[in-house]
Amino acid sequence: MFKKILSIFALIPLLTSCNQTQSEYNFTLEKENSIGTLTLYAFNGDSERVPGTINLGHAFISVENTSEETIKVGAMTLEANEQTSVGGWGQTAHFGIWYNIESTYMTIGRYKGILSLTTQITEDDLNNLNSYIKDHDQWSMFKNCSYMALDMYNIVANEDSKIEINGLITPGKIYNVLKKTDKNELERPIENFTKVGYSADYEMTNLVEFKLR
């Protein structure tokens, strides 16, 4: 009997270790003929929460040009290997899509503990993404940063990799999904980015540069 008890206790580390590494979501993130990558970021606000206040976090995407040709992401032009973040903000200057606010914030140490998920994208994916950005350059309480970030990710994701969230979409809800896949990345940097700004027109032909203070 004593030996049986010891055997049961010996199995506990194996059972718990298997449970810890189990992935609830097994996304397919590779594509043929890819020209870039799109990364979905979710920050739950924990590392920046001040006692007595509410910090719901932030969600956004970034796009990297992995091709040898110049590409357009909304109003932002990317040369080979350049990146840009794309996020929804309710700023006085512009309620809608902004470029490289998050890229800049990450270089000064913001968003500690942020999780991300990266998928490859094709030229068709980029065209669909740009159509979405053009038609959704706005921000509201219900069509917020998380709503837009998840939409932009799902537009380009493979069918088995789309993320469905019920009710009001928040950074925390996206974060909790990303925690459940072993393909997430912790604090993935955004490098080789250029201007900060927003589009001044519907056709996304003119980027208004902005200096963050």
Side-chain angles (χ1 to χ4, degrees):
M1 180 67 179
F2 183 69
K3 289 183 178 180
K4 288 184 179 179
I5 294 173
L6 286 179
S7 299
I8 292 171
F9 277 103
L11 284 172
I12 290 175
L14 294 175
L15 293 172
T16 55
S17 62
C18 290
N19 189 47
Q20 288 171 349
T21 57
Q22 186 176 6
S23 175
E24 186 172 330
Y25 297 101
N26 187 23
F27 296 127
T28 303
L29 305 172
E30 297 76 26
K31 296 190 177 188
E32 292 184 4
N33 304 316
S34 68
I35 62 168
T37 62
L38 182 145
T39 301
L40 172 65
Y41 287 86
F43 172 63
N44 65 4
D46 283 356
S47 64
E48 297 180 8
R49 189 167 291 117
V50 177
T53 64
I54 297 175
N55 187 334
L56 298 179
H58 186 52
F60 58 96
I61 67 163
S62 73
V63 178
E64 180 179 7
N65 180 7
T66 60
S67 74
E68 297 180 355
E69 306 295 329
T70 300
I71 66 172
K72 285 270 291 181
V73 180
M76 183 65 70
T77 300
L78 298 183
E79 303 295 336
N81 301 315
E82 285 187 341
Q83 300 183 58
T84 183
S85 66
V86 184
W89 290 86
Q91 298 279 9
T92 303
H94 180 65
F95 274 63
I97 298 288
W98 284 76
Y99 305 88
N100 285 324
I101 287 184
E102 298 89 355
S103 307
T104 303
Y105 281 165
M106 291 177 78
T107 65
I108 61 174
R110 293 283 306 274
Y111 306 138
K112 292 296 184 184
I114 194 169
L115 290 181
S116 63
L117 182 69
T118 301
T119 180
Q120 293 180 333
I121 59 173
T122 65
E123 187 174 354
D124 286 342
D125 292 331
L126 182 59
N127 290 336
N128 292 334
L129 175 65
N130 282 330
S131 293
Y132 180 89
I133 292 173
K134 182 185 293 186
D135 292 333
H136 295 82
D137 188 14
Q138 53 195 305
W139 182 94
S140 70
M141 289 296 294
F142 296 103
K143 293 189 176 180
N144 53 30
C145 65
S146 305
Y147 177 96
M148 288 189 281
L150 189 61
D151 266 3
M152 290 188 284
Y153 167 80
N154 281 335
I155 282 170
V156 305
N158 288 320
E159 284 301 318
D160 66 351
S161 306
K162 295 184 187 298
I163 297 173
E164 301 298 330
I165 293 177
N166 296 323
L168 179 66
I169 300 171
T170 65
K173 287 183 178 180
I174 300 175
Y175 180 92
N176 289 337
V177 171
L178 298 189
K179 277 201 308 184
K180 295 176 182 178
T181 174
D182 56 11
K183 295 185 178 180
N184 71 53
E185 294 180 77
L186 177 65
E187 297 179 8
R188 176 187 174 95
I190 302 175
E191 301 172 323
N192 200 21
F193 64 92
T194 55
K195 305 170 184 177
V196 176
Y198 59 90
S199 175
D201 61 286
Y202 174 76
E203 294 300 326
M204 301 285 170
T205 57
N206 183 21
L207 182 77
V208 177
E209 290 190 54
F210 194 86
K211 300 295 182 183
L212 291 178
R213 298 178 180 177

